Amino acid sequence: PCHGTGAQGGRGYPNLNDDAWLWGGTLEDIHTTLKYGIRSTHEETRYSEMLAFLRDGILSRDEVDAVVEYVLALSGQEADAALAERGRAVFESNCTACHMEDGTGDRTQGAPNLTDQIWLYGGDRDTIWQSVANGRRGVMPAWQDRLDPLTIKSLAVYVHALGGGE
């Protein structure tokens, strides 16, 4: 129901067939994600959170607009060059701790690569704006208490074998 019958994902649910892994695509990484989840209730869950920069008053509307233009430019999309240049400074001050200076993301934090044209929620201007303004916080349940260890290992091997594992 989440990743689709072919593991192709959908809006808000990662495609498990590609090479864009938020938390890493090795067998061990996949096993850890299955076992403990992402932002789940398990005490060992992996946790990160895309801040709600506008909603929480961290950035102004103008700053959000500028950083969105910069993200569009980073991803090779059409963007207002002057506004994107203003957005670069906002990005450097607020986003590089997770998304890195070059926008390629930090897997240890589950921060996506903003340069690869692979989007979890969508890569159009309005969707990126919503992500920056209001944040994102998807959840992957922990399966450790629902499935036996052998089944979790088998699922990790299966997901890895879909073609997107590393």
Side-chain angles (χ1 to χ4, degrees), residues 95-115:
C95 308
T96 58
C98 297
H99 295 287
M100 312 308 286
E101 289 183 24
D102 61 359
T104 56
D106 180 1
R107 286 182 170 185
T108 65
Q109 300 181 67
N113 181 343
L114 303 176
T115 69

Side-chain angles (χ1 to χ4, degrees), residues 27-91:
L27 276 170
E28 184 179 335
D29 293 331
I30 295 167
H31 184 261
T32 299
T33 298
L34 286 166
K35 194 171 179 181
Y36 304 126
I38 306 296
R39 291 178 286 281
S40 74
T41 57
H42 193 281
E43 64 185 27
E44 293 184 54
T45 193
R46 292 173 162 176
Y47 191 87
S48 68
E49 188 169 342
M50 171 68 184
L51 299 175
F53 285 97
L54 181 63
R55 187 184 69 214
D56 293 344
I58 300 166
L59 297 177
S60 69
R61 181 172 294 275
D62 288 342
E63 290 171 318
V64 169
D65 290 343
V67 81
V68 166
E69 288 302 308
Y70 182 66
V71 170
L72 288 168
L74 271 177
S75 65
Q77 298 185 65
E78 192 173 311
D80 177 300
L83 190 54
E85 189 55 39
R86 287 199 335 246
R88 175 192 300 267
V90 178
F91 185 90

Side-chain angles (χ1 to χ4, degrees), residues 103-138:
T104 56
D106 180 1
R107 286 182 170 185
T108 65
Q109 300 181 67
N113 181 343
L114 303 176
T115 69
D116 64 6
Q117 291 287 331
I118 298 172
W119 301 95
L120 188 57
Y121 294 95
D124 62 279
R125 180 176 274 104
D126 291 339
T127 304
I128 295 171
W129 194 92
Q130 287 297 324
S131 294
V132 175
N134 299 309
R136 297 288 184 187
R137 195 181 176 285

